[in-house]
Amino acid sequence: MESSLFDLLYLFGAAFGVCLVLTPFVRGLARRWGLVDQPDGRRKIHKTAIPVCGGVAVYLAACATILGAMWLVPSFRKGLGDNWTTFLSVFLAATVIAVVGLIDDFRGMRGRYKLAGQILAAAIAVTGGILVRSVTILEVPIDLGVLAVPFTMFWLLGAINSLNLIDGMDGLLGSIGLILCLTIGGMAFLNGNFAAACIAMTLAGSLFAFLWFNFPPASIFLGDAGSMLIGLVIGTLAIQASLKGAATVALAAPLALMIIPIFDTSAAIVRRGLTGRSIFTTDRGHLHHVLMNGGLSNRKVLLLVALLCCLAGSGALFGIYLKSEYIAFGSAVAVVAILMTAKLFGRAEFLLIKEGVSSLVDRMRYGHEHGRVHQINVHLQGSGNWNELWRALTVSAQELGLKTMTLDVNAPAMHEGYHARWDRTNTDQSEVSGYWRVEIPLTVSCQVVGRFNVVGLRDEESAWQKLAALAKIVEDIELTIAAMAESKKPEEFATPAPSLLPGQRHELDRHLDPKE
């Protein structure tokens, strides 16, 4: 037992030393070859170009340490036993995902090609033996049968992309990855899977060294090569560390481990799906963005997220040690409850769901009542005063006889996000063919910051007259967003009402005057 623990510490220290030496070398090569992340003033708000190949250093350090362990650590060879094919498949899958990520970092890669590379890497791991044939959920066994391969692929792809999505702040993914790897190492050791424990501790050592250069302010980023690599390896190791028997996984432990990235990714899917945005749309609504917008510094965000990861990891470890999935499940619920009840994260997504359900119930109760209005109005991020603007828009919508109106603002550079929808019931189905529709992009400084969608009914007034009035609405919305963008303190500017109708123009001038 003591010698095994010493071997794990030895691998951690060896990987730490190798990565500590490799990272500056790789950073210099990245600068020379132009493999850097340029600031864009929208999402990438760092001051200067930063090398983006930290994942290469982590990968090389981990591989070098593992290869050395095969000759120098007999307990590692013994732990592998007859599982050489599984080990080689994970190594090959990690190599594939690192190469895909490096290509994306260097030249950029279209989403479908990137996904194809992820699927290939996951398929290699599954083919080599990383396969969940059955799971237990709170002690209830479930045989997956023909769903074993789809379930495992879904888990691995989810791990890859959830950790990739959360990599948006100096030191964040490195810290999360370090805690997860240390926890997985402990879980695997308790479950008797020494080989998985060795790999987890090796990756943990590499990440610990990398954090020396990635801690804010970072001098090198992990890049997609690093974030997707960490996601794949943690996804596979979480399965191996949670095995209760042959290919049977106690699902509560890996879910508890991954609760932070899972919650963050789920919130992004809800946020983008319920606002009609593409799932691939970028925004500043992730966990670290919201915490920083709430006034926390980079380091305080890292500390808070690390503490929450430790809470979830401790639950997973104690759950394995005490053979109780309820402990692991409870720790995951506790993390989500802390974030939600303290209003630290998830509030906007909760309001979107609440407003959507409320609107659905309203439609079911009064859906056939002609002229009834249904609304959704959620401030996703930022401190801008959008409610006054939206009230004025709804008044204009009534007077113009509109059927539907949607305002969706996604301005990451100014940390603003807003979504509102207004819909009026029309039971006269003969008028359906008389609808006219228009979608207008909202632009500020040549950047698209949102969209304004309108559906109207044909009546005595010409649609072109209404479109001219809508053009004035769009002008005022863009002026509103521009005023926020130009102000160092957006909250000091009230939002102007749109000047669609006669007599409203003076409202715009009054609200745009900072003295007001």
Side-chain angles (χ1 to χ4, degrees):
M1 174 73 74
E2 290 183 3
S3 62
S4 297
L5 287 173
F6 176 80
D7 288 340
L8 291 178
L9 293 175
Y10 170 77
L11 289 173
F12 180 90
F16 175 85
V18 174
C19 193
L20 201 63
V21 173
L22 270 178
T23 302
F25 175 73
V26 171
R27 181 179 58 188
L29 288 179
R31 285 201 181 104
R32 187 181 308 171
W33 294 340
L35 187 55
V36 295
D37 193 24
Q38 298 284 357
D40 61 7
R42 185 171 182 267
R43 290 177 55 245
K44 304 174 182 181
I45 57 176
H46 44 276
K47 304 297 183 181
T48 60
I50 304 293
V52 65
C53 59
V56 176
V58 171
Y59 169 79
L60 292 176
C63 287
T65 305
I66 289 294
L67 289 175
M70 295 174 66
W71 279 271
L72 301 175
V73 183
S75 58
F76 176 60
R77 293 197 304 272
K78 182 180 178 182
L80 283 176
D82 298 328
N83 296 321
W84 283 93
T85 55
T86 301
F87 168 73
L88 290 175
S89 70
V90 173
F91 171 77
L92 181 57
T95 303
V96 169
I97 203 70
V99 170
V100 170
L102 188 61
I103 294 172
D104 187 43
D105 290 330
F106 189 60
R107 293 190 175 275
M109 185 180 290
R110 299 189 70 172
R112 59 174 176 266
Y113 299 135
K114 189 174 174 180
L115 179 60
Q118 295 173 355
I119 292 174
L120 174 61
I124 292 171
V126 170
T127 303
I130 304 296
L131 184 64
V132 181
R133 298 187 185 278
S134 61
V135 299
T136 61
I137 302 177
L138 299 181
E139 313 299 341
V140 178
I142 300 175
D143 185 13
L144 295 176
V146 295
L147 297 178
V149 171
F151 177 86
T152 310
M153 290 288 291
F154 177 79
W155 170 261
L156 293 179
L157 291 174
I160 291 169
N161 286 289
S162 61
L163 286 170
N164 185 31
L165 282 174
I166 209 169
D167 183 25
M169 192 186 81
D170 295 355
L172 183 61
L173 181 54
S175 300
I176 292 175
L178 172 62
I179 295 169
L180 294 185
C181 285
L182 289 173
T183 306
I184 288 172
M187 290 168 53
F189 184 78
L190 290 173
N191 268 339
N193 194 331
F194 190 70
C198 288
I199 296 172
M201 294 301 288
T202 300
L203 183 57
S206 299
L207 289 173
F208 191 41
F210 176 74
L211 279 173
W212 183 270
F213 307 95
N214 187 238
F215 205 72
S219 63
I220 185 171
F221 294 155
L222 276 167
D224 277 0
S227 61
M228 293 198 299
L229 170 70
I230 294 170
L232 175 68
V233 175
I234 285 178
T236 57
L237 292 178
I239 291 174
Q240 295 296 97
S242 305
L243 290 174
K244 296 183 69 174
T248 298
V249 172
L251 201 58
L255 285 177
L257 270 177
M258 298 284 288
I259 190 61
I260 291 290
I262 287 174
F263 188 34
D264 182 73
T265 302
S266 300
I269 292 172
V270 168
R271 185 171 60 252
R272 295 166 189 177
L274 294 185
T275 56
R277 303 173 187 172
S278 165
I279 196 66
F280 301 107
T281 301
T282 58
D283 59 29
R284 295 187 64 84
H286 288 287
L287 174 62
H288 51 285
H289 295 136
V290 175
L291 293 177
M292 290 179 69
N293 290 345
L296 296 182
S297 65
N298 284 34
R299 300 197 176 198
K300 288 182 178 178
V301 170
L302 286 178
L303 178 61
L304 176 60
V305 173
L307 289 174
L308 292 173
C309 284
C310 287
L311 172 60
S314 298
L317 269 175
F318 278 109
I320 293 290
Y321 180 71
L322 299 175
K323 302 185 185 307
S324 172
E325 292 185 60
Y326 290 95
I327 296 176
F329 182 76
S331 67
V333 172
V335 168
V336 174
I338 290 170
L339 289 171
M340 292 286 291
T341 56
K343 299 181 180 180
L344 295 172
F345 181 68
R347 179 173 173 77
E349 291 76 16
F350 172 77
L351 289 176
L352 275 174
I353 295 173
K354 178 185 174 183
E355 291 281 339
V357 171
S358 176
S359 178
L360 179 61
V361 171
D362 195 41
R363 288 173 184 275
M364 293 174 64
R365 292 179 62 186
Y366 309 104
H368 298 292
E369 185 177 323
H370 184 78
R372 187 173 185 84
V373 171
H374 309 278
Q375 288 194 66
I376 293 176
N377 175 13
V378 179
H379 196 171
L380 299 172
Q381 299 121 37
S383 56
N385 180 18
W386 296 97
N387 291 333
E388 185 175 346
L389 170 64
W390 181 245
R391 282 195 296 269
L393 286 174
T394 56
V395 170
S396 300
Q398 291 274 13
E399 298 191 21
L400 282 171
L402 300 181
K403 169 70 172 62
T404 302
M405 178 177 64
T406 303
L407 173 63
D408 187 63
V409 177
N410 180 24
M414 52 187 294
H415 299 212
E416 284 291 339
Y418 181 80
H419 180 80
R421 179 183 172 89
W422 179 94
D423 185 70
R424 181 166 53 183
T425 302
N426 177 38
T427 57
D428 188 353
Q429 298 300 315
S430 64
E431 294 184 356
V432 170
S433 60
Y435 292 163
W436 54 268
R437 296 173 173 81
V438 61
E439 178 174 329
I440 306 173
L442 304 174
T443 59
V444 174
S445 301
C446 300
Q447 287 190 344
V448 177
V449 294
R451 55 192 170 86
F452 183 58
N453 294 347
V454 172
V455 176
L457 296 170
R458 296 186 184 276
D459 51 25
E460 296 80 7
E461 187 177 356
S462 168
W464 289 110
Q465 290 178 304
K466 296 183 179 182
L467 288 174
L470 288 172
K472 210 159 189 60
I473 279 188
V474 172
E475 177 188 0
D476 291 344
I477 296 173
E478 291 178 342
L479 283 171
T480 295
I481 301 173
M484 291 184 184
E486 292 172 3
S487 174
K488 292 183 180 180
K489 297 181 180 179
E491 64 273 14
E492 291 180 2
F493 288 86
T495 305
S499 57
L500 169 63
L501 301 173
Q504 290 185 332
R505 186 66 196 181
H506 70 280
E507 291 293 316
L508 173 65
D509 297 329
R510 181 176 67 82
H511 284 290
L512 280 178
D513 185 356
K515 296 180 181 179
E516 296 289 339

